[in-house]
């Protein structure tokens, strides 16, 4: 089973930036997708951004396009989510996820996730 370890959350003021990291271990193939999801209090977990490991294709939810950038470093088996121009409404617990499909945006759905990271809190203050 793929294990994911996240880091990088925290408290930031509106307009600020944070970078999340997700280290993956245990994958037996290069053909998978790492997704970033978030869950705000009282809301469902939603897909924010995804990236395929093999060729770096990306997907972004409309709410984060132009502000968030997903990337990966295959040598480190790590994916990143650079979050700029953060808004109060970006406050949530952010989870990285392992998806065995590489077909975007289909793979960036909660029901496609095989393994979840532990989650990291991102809080944006006004």
């Amino acid at each position: 089973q793929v294990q994911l370890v996240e880091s990088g959350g925290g408290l930031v003021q509106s307009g600020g930036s944070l970078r999340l990291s997700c280290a993956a271990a245990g994958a037996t193939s290069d053909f998978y997708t790492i997704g970033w999801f978030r869950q705000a209090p009282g809301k469902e977990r939603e897909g924010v951004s995804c990236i395929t490991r093999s060729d770096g294709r990306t997907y972004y939810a409309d709410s984060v396009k132009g502000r968030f950038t997903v990337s990966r470093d295959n040598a480190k088996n790590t994916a990143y989510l650079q979050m700029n121009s953060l808004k109060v409404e970006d406050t949530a617990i952010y989870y990285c996820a392992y998806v065995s499909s590489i077909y975007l945006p289909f793979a960036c759905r909660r029901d496609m996730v095989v393994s979840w990271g532990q989650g990291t809190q991102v809080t944006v203050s006004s």
Side-chain angles (χ1 to χ4, degrees):
Q1 180 161 351
V2 175
Q3 289 153 352
L4 305 168
V5 178
E6 303 170 38
S7 60
L11 172 65
V12 65
Q13 286 191 326
S14 179
S17 298
L18 282 173
R19 188 176 84 152
L20 306 181
S21 300
C22 174
T28 58
S29 166
D30 289 341
F31 298 98
Y32 62 86
T33 296
I34 292 294
W36 288 98
F37 291 74
R38 67 186 181 187
Q39 187 165 18
K43 295 189 177 181
E44 291 191 350
R45 195 171 298 187
E46 62 175 354
V48 173
S49 182
C50 290
I51 186 166
T52 58
R53 186 199 189 274
S54 56
D55 59 3
R57 285 176 294 114
T58 59
Y59 163 82
Y60 296 94
D62 288 344
S63 58
V64 305
K65 278 181 183 176
R67 301 188 298 122
F68 291 11
T69 302
V70 64
S71 61
R72 91 275 194 228
D73 183 336
N74 287 347
K76 297 181 179 179
N77 287 322
T78 299
Y80 304 95
L81 185 68
Q82 177 67 42
M83 304 184 294
N84 297 330
S85 301
L86 282 161
K87 304 177 181 179
V88 172
E89 52 264 43
D90 294 318
T91 295
I93 299 174
Y94 283 70
Y95 299 88
C96 69
Y98 170 86
V99 177
S100 57
S101 170
I102 60 170
Y103 298 104
L104 298 177
F106 177 74
C108 210
R109 287 171 25 176
R110 188 179 56 187
D111 59 349
M112 296 297 295
V113 173
V114 175
S115 299
W116 292 99
Q118 80 279 12
T120 186
Q121 178 70 47
V122 171
T123 302
V124 184
S125 63
S126 58

